[in-house]
Amino acid sequence: MTPPPKSGRPGSRGEPEKTRAAILKAALEEFAHEGVAGARTDEIARRAGVNKALIYYYFKDKEGLYAAALEQVFSGLHLKVGAVLERTDLPPRERLVLYAQTHFDYIASAPVYPRLVQREFMRTSGRTLSPAAGRIMEKHVRPFYDRLEKLILEGTKSGDFRRLDPMQTVTSMIGIIVFYFISLPAQQFMRSGDPASPERIAARRAAMLDFICAAVLTPEAARKVCAP
């Protein structure tokens, strides 16, 4: 296939990066709300302001577009979190707190991300991942899971962390960080106001950090890095 030219009107092959980004943004919303089976390429094209044919030009088919959406979510997380976990200049207690802040802020910047991931986990009754998701998880998620588990072990040896099961600790921390954003509709039902407002997000961020500090860090380490 002949590559598109590098200049031209929006929503055409003449602006490939802009057009591809617009399609991906629209696809993230559609897949998060409708899942793969329910998502419609007509609606994605409408949201993106492009001709439907361009979806197939850039992504081949709906499954290809879905894989690209998952790739964007997990590669971005891996990039952000990986940079923190590789900070060997910081002691384990500081790395853990910075990790939690970074992961939370990444999701808060795009709450559609955890909903898309939740849809993927529900896609096969929670038993297995789709082949595309499996490849992406192996590439982007397993490495930061492994680094987090090593951080828990390192912090335990240094005396920063309580003696904990690394695998269970990592799973619990990710759940504490992510669940609020998955449950926004329920949060709104249980308490008046907008759960996605800056004030509510800031309050949740502070509560998340307080919980992780209390659960993982020793009291002495928590006094050094966690706000009172």
Side-chain angles (χ1 to χ4, degrees):
M1 182 179 289
T2 303
K6 296 184 178 180
S7 61
R9 64 182 180 82
S12 73
R13 297 181 185 181
E15 291 192 338
E17 291 183 7
K18 184 176 180 180
T19 300
R20 192 176 191 278
I23 293 171
L24 263 180
K25 181 180 179 181
L28 282 164
E29 292 283 348
E30 180 73 0
F31 287 134
H33 285 96
E34 305 297 336
V36 181
R40 294 173 53 83
T41 53
D42 286 333
E43 177 61 18
I44 293 171
R46 187 194 67 77
R47 286 174 181 258
V50 303
N51 187 295
K52 180 180 174 180
L54 289 175
I55 293 176
Y56 301 100
Y57 180 83
Y58 287 107
F59 299 99
K60 295 186 179 179
D61 53 28
K62 189 167 72 169
E63 285 290 338
L65 179 55
Y66 177 68
L70 286 176
E71 174 74 23
Q72 177 166 309
V73 172
F74 286 116
S75 64
L77 178 61
H78 187 187
L79 181 65
K80 296 279 188 180
V81 171
V84 170
L85 296 177
E86 291 171 4
R87 291 282 301 274
T88 56
D89 59 310
L90 298 177
R93 59 181 180 270
E94 292 185 23
R95 252 180 291 156
L96 184 74
V97 170
L98 186 56
Y99 151 72
Q101 293 170 328
T102 302
H103 194 162
F104 185 94
D105 291 344
Y106 177 76
I107 295 173
S109 71
V112 69
Y113 287 177
R115 293 201 298 273
L116 177 67
V117 176
Q118 184 186 35
R119 283 278 187 181
E120 169 58 30
F121 292 163
M122 294 170 60
R123 189 180 181 188
T124 53
S125 302
R127 294 188 181 89
T128 59
L129 294 170
S130 66
R135 289 191 297 271
I136 291 165
M137 294 281 282
E138 183 70 29
K139 179 180 177 182
H140 297 299
V141 179
R142 187 187 294 275
F144 97 74
Y145 253 83
D146 290 344
R147 290 191 189 114
L148 275 173
E149 290 184 6
K150 288 177 182 177
L151 175 58
I152 298 301
L153 288 171
E154 183 184 347
T156 301
K157 290 178 182 178
S158 72
D160 280 342
F161 303 161
R162 299 190 303 110
R163 300 187 70 83
L164 299 162
D165 181 320
M167 182 181 70
Q168 297 298 339
T169 303
V170 170
T171 300
S172 296
M173 287 194 303
I174 292 174
I176 290 166
I177 292 167
V178 172
F179 179 75
Y180 182 81
F181 297 98
I182 293 174
S183 65
L184 285 178
Q187 300 292 336
Q188 189 165 23
F189 176 80
M190 291 184 289
R191 183 178 173 190
S192 61
D194 181 7
S197 69
E199 295 79 14
R200 293 275 289 274
I201 294 296
R204 178 58 196 168
R205 187 181 192 270
M208 175 275 299
L209 287 172
D210 180 68
F211 198 98
I212 288 178
C213 283
V216 179
L217 274 64
T218 62
E220 181 181 356
R223 283 193 293 270
K224 294 177 180 179
V225 294
C226 300

